[in-house]
């Protein structure tokens, strides 16, 4: 059952918006629960599938610092982590903003994961597909309409 409201990725704002997620977020890796929360946030940005952030206290997997950083013009500097759970290591599969910009201060101490590098991710009862491409970390749920960035030819919209 899909209890998520219909949304169109083309209607999301720019600059992005941050909002709490009322549904349970669940991440599985290596046959185990890597993370589970009812205290998550999501970032909504034009042409992107929502990116979900889970409080680090609700992450059961080991997060091992990984190489590299990136800079988001809206959120600040991200650092990356390998996710280790159930005997499986997903390299550079999670990221966080340790000191985000003031507008995104609520996600300090939270992590996001690339759905395509996990065994499964869920928003409520809806199983997630990864945002197309290998750059963005959005979670595509069945309620989303429109074309999210990431597929060939969409990266620089």
């Amino acid at each position: 059952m899909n209890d998520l409201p219909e949304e169109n990725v083309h209607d999301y704002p720019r600059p992005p918006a941050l909002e709490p997620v009322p549904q349970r977020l669940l991440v599985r890796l290596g046959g185990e629960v890597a993370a589970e929360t009812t205290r998550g946030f999501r970032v909504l940005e034009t042409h992107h599938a929502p990116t979900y952030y889970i409080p680090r206290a609700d992450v059961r997997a080991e997060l091992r610092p990984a190489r590299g950083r990136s800079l988001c013009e809206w959120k600040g500097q991200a650092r990356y982590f390998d996710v280790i759970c159930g005997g499986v290591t997903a390299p550079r599969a999670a990221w966080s903003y340790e000191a985000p910009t003031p507008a995104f201060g609520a996600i300090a101490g939270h992590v996001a994961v690339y759905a395509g590098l996990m065994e499964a991710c869920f928003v409520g009862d809806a199983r997630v597909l990864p945002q197309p491409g290998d750059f963005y970390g959005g979670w595509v749920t069945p309620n989303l309409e429109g074309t999210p960035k990431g597929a060939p030819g969409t990266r620089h919209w």
Side-chain angles (χ1 to χ4, degrees):
M1 180 176 143
N2 181 14
D3 63 344
L4 303 174
E6 289 187 20
E7 298 178 344
N8 190 311
V9 298
H10 304 290
D11 295 335
Y12 290 154
R14 188 165 178 88
L18 176 68
E19 64 181 34
V21 177
Q23 296 84 9
R24 176 184 67 132
L25 303 177
L26 176 68
V27 177
R28 297 188 64 80
L29 182 64
E32 296 182 7
V33 173
E36 184 175 19
T37 193
T38 55
R39 302 180 302 139
F41 284 93
R42 69 182 190 155
V43 172
L44 306 175
E45 182 176 356
T46 306
H47 299 295
H48 287 265
T51 304
Y52 290 84
Y53 290 84
I54 297 169
R56 197 165 299 184
D58 294 339
V59 175
R60 298 178 194 170
E62 177 186 348
L63 298 174
R64 181 175 60 205
R67 298 185 90 158
R69 296 188 183 255
S70 62
L71 182 65
C72 171
E73 65 183 308
W74 310 112
K75 295 179 289 295
Q77 187 175 72
R79 60 183 290 209
Y80 292 84
F81 301 91
D82 298 337
V83 179
I84 304 162
C85 188
V88 174
T89 299
R92 208 166 183 263
W95 71 95
S96 71
Y97 295 92
E98 300 300 311
T101 61
F104 292 90
I107 63 171
H110 288 60
V111 296
V113 299
Y114 288 104
L117 299 177
M118 299 294 107
E119 182 179 306
C121 297
F122 295 86
V123 177
D125 294 327
R127 188 166 181 158
V128 169
L129 295 174
Q131 185 167 349
D134 62 356
F135 183 75
Y136 302 110
W139 290 11
V140 179
T141 49
N143 64 308
L144 292 183
E145 296 178 358
T147 304
K149 287 175 77 166
T154 66
R155 187 166 179 178
H156 298 289
W157 279 356

